[in-house]
Amino acid sequence: MRSIWNGAISFGLVSIPVKLINATENHSVSFRQIHLTDGGRVRYRKVCEVDGEEVTAAEIGKGYEDADGSVIPITDEDLGSLPLPTAKTIEIVAFVPADAIDPLQMDAAYYLSANGVPAAKPYTLLREALKRSRKVAVAKYALRGRERLGMLRVVDDVIAMHGLLWPDEIRIPEDVTPETGVKVRDAELDLADALMATLGEVDMDSLHDDYREAVEELVAAKAAGEVPRRAEPQDTGGKVIDLVAALESSVRAAKEAREGGAEGDGHGEDAPVAKVTSMADHKGAKSGRPGSSTAGAKKSTAGSEKTAAKKNAAKKTTASKSAEKQTAEKQTAAEKTAEKQTATKKSTAKKSTAKKSTAKKNTATKRSSTKNAPRKRTSA
């Protein structure tokens, strides 16, 4: 991967040469502006407002527009004379717990790569120190002509840096909360918790941009001279329904879909699915924006069906393992019994053989004694 910045991490008196590499990439489909009459590209040209002449890049400088509308020229020499100690240094200023960083401050993400063999040791030291402390480093750095705030953390075996917005760049959420006072009952929270538990979790790696894929298919179809298929308008569920009834129906439908998928009888697919449509979704649907509540309901249903299928497969696997275990235990017990019987038979046979051998020895001894005994003489 190509680096976009070379510098060093300043860690106390330790300096770690590093390269800055973009950690993300944009996969969105981009379009060009064209002239509808002949399909020609429409390009922007930089024109001076005073004389109306087109200017080149070499003739363009920087200027700051004051409050009264006047423009104050600022040259590169002016900016170069300003103190910027972080121009080539990522200066660590503190180590804090990860939850001390507000996610609203998160900006672009980068990977930091050790620049050269001598940098490997201090780089590894900082990485392992971050791992063991379970903290993140807050740092200052300069990029594209301005000083920025960053957060260093460990991702796998790499130090990653997230650009952070300055605290004064985070807007206070004024007039965002509902104006009217709303009370939520415990029963409603219990239903919401049940719905969340029923829908289950999702593998983040399985998520993808459906709209981008649709755009790519549209472009491919038009490039091949085919007539693109028009999508049928979907029901956006514009009716406002009772929240508790919607939650109860959603929980019941999700459970039926999961149980139906586990039994394999198809009832889960026919179960009615209640749709809870927020006012934001209504506005989005009316304005023609993608991502309506129907699509969300379909994704939620698909997610619950996938979760149910996974749980069903897990149950079958567990049952199969249990049956295999019982069979193995029975076979082991039978083998042990057979071994005991065989050992008993062998022991009995050995004892019988020993008895016969002893009897033979006794008989031989008696015969030998009889032969060797002195004969009595008979007097005349």
Side-chain angles (χ1 to χ4, degrees):
M1 292 186 285
R2 186 175 62 88
S3 63
I4 61 173
W5 180 92
N6 292 341
I9 300 175
S10 176
F11 177 34
L13 297 178
V14 179
S15 181
I16 310 171
V18 293
K19 296 179 180 180
L20 194 68
I21 302 169
N22 281 320
T24 61
E25 54 188 2
N26 187 5
H27 289 168
S28 60
V29 180
S30 59
F31 297 99
R32 303 291 186 184
Q33 289 187 330
I34 62 172
H35 188 196
L36 294 177
T37 304
D38 53 17
R41 283 279 303 278
V42 176
R43 298 180 182 273
Y44 291 102
R45 293 177 179 173
K46 297 181 179 181
V47 178
C48 177
E49 292 183 351
V50 177
D51 56 17
E53 297 292 332
E54 183 178 354
V55 295
T56 63
E59 299 174 300
I60 299 175
K62 298 183 181 69
Y64 176 83
E65 186 174 359
D66 205 353
D68 58 0
S70 60
V71 178
I72 303 172
I74 302 295
T75 65
D76 292 338
E77 290 76 10
D78 295 333
L79 295 175
S81 64
L82 297 177
L84 189 59
T86 57
K88 285 292 183 181
T89 304
I90 299 173
E91 182 182 352
I92 295 178
V93 297
F95 292 90
V96 300
D99 55 7
I101 305 297
D102 191 336
L104 286 174
Q105 290 185 253
M106 294 290 186
D107 201 358
Y110 308 94
Y111 290 135
L112 293 174
S113 171
N115 191 0
V117 176
K121 179 70 174 183
Y123 182 95
T124 306
L125 172 64
L126 176 59
R127 183 191 68 195
E128 296 304 315
L130 289 171
K131 280 185 180 180
R132 191 168 70 172
S133 67
R134 297 183 180 179
K135 291 184 177 181
V136 297
V138 178
K140 289 182 178 181
Y141 67 103
L143 185 65
R144 299 185 181 95
R146 57 167 292 196
E147 190 170 55
R148 303 168 188 265
L149 193 63
M151 179 191 74
L152 277 65
R153 69 184 183 98
V154 178
V155 178
D156 295 332
D157 287 331
V158 176
I159 299 176
M161 183 173 72
H162 296 267
L164 298 178
L165 300 175
W166 296 99
D168 59 359
E169 293 179 321
I170 305 298
R171 300 175 63 184
I172 299 174
E174 296 178 343
D175 303 327
V176 178
T177 58
E179 296 179 359
T180 58
V182 178
K183 292 184 178 180
V184 179
R185 296 176 295 174
D186 291 339
E188 295 170 337
L189 284 174
D190 293 340
L191 285 171
D193 291 340
L195 179 58
M196 292 166 63
T198 305
L199 292 178
E201 300 178 354
V202 65
D203 181 9
M204 296 300 293
D205 293 334
S206 66
L207 302 178
H208 58 279
D209 189 348
D210 295 327
Y211 182 74
R212 188 189 77 204
E213 292 181 357
V215 172
E216 291 173 349
E217 292 176 0
L218 171 65
V219 172
K222 297 200 74 171
E226 301 175 359
V227 179
R229 183 177 57 185
R230 299 289 180 181
E232 298 181 359
Q234 298 177 341
D235 180 16
T236 57
K239 296 181 180 180
V240 178
I241 58 179
D242 181 66
L243 179 59
V244 175
L247 288 171
E248 290 176 345
S249 300
S250 298
V251 173
R252 184 169 58 254
K255 286 183 177 179
E256 290 176 356
R258 183 176 62 183
E259 293 171 358
E263 296 173 0
D265 54 5
H267 293 300
E269 298 177 358
D270 299 331
V273 179
K275 302 171 185 176
V276 182
T277 307
S278 64
M279 297 305 296
D281 292 334
H282 293 322
K283 292 179 181 179
K286 289 179 181 179
S287 62
R289 291 195 300 262
S292 65
S293 60
T294 305
K298 287 184 177 179
K299 290 183 178 180
S300 298
T301 305
S304 61
E305 290 176 355
K306 289 180 179 179
T307 304
K310 289 181 179 178
K311 290 183 177 179
N312 183 31
K315 288 180 180 179
K316 290 182 178 179
T317 303
T318 303
S320 176
K321 289 182 177 178
S322 179
E324 290 177 357
K325 186 177 180 181
Q326 292 177 358
T327 303
E329 288 177 353
K330 290 180 180 179
Q331 290 178 352
T332 303
E335 290 174 357
K336 288 183 178 179
T337 303
E339 289 177 358
K340 287 182 179 180
Q341 291 176 353
T342 303
T344 303
K345 289 180 179 179
K346 288 181 178 179
S347 177
T348 304
K350 286 181 179 180
K351 289 180 180 179
S352 177
T353 304
K355 286 181 180 180
K356 290 180 179 179
S357 176
T358 303
K360 287 181 179 180
K361 287 180 179 180
N362 291 335
T363 303
T365 303
K366 288 180 181 180
R367 289 178 180 175
S368 176
S369 299
T370 303
K371 289 180 179 179
N372 297 328
R375 294 182 181 178
K376 296 181 178 180
R377 295 182 179 179
T378 305
S379 58

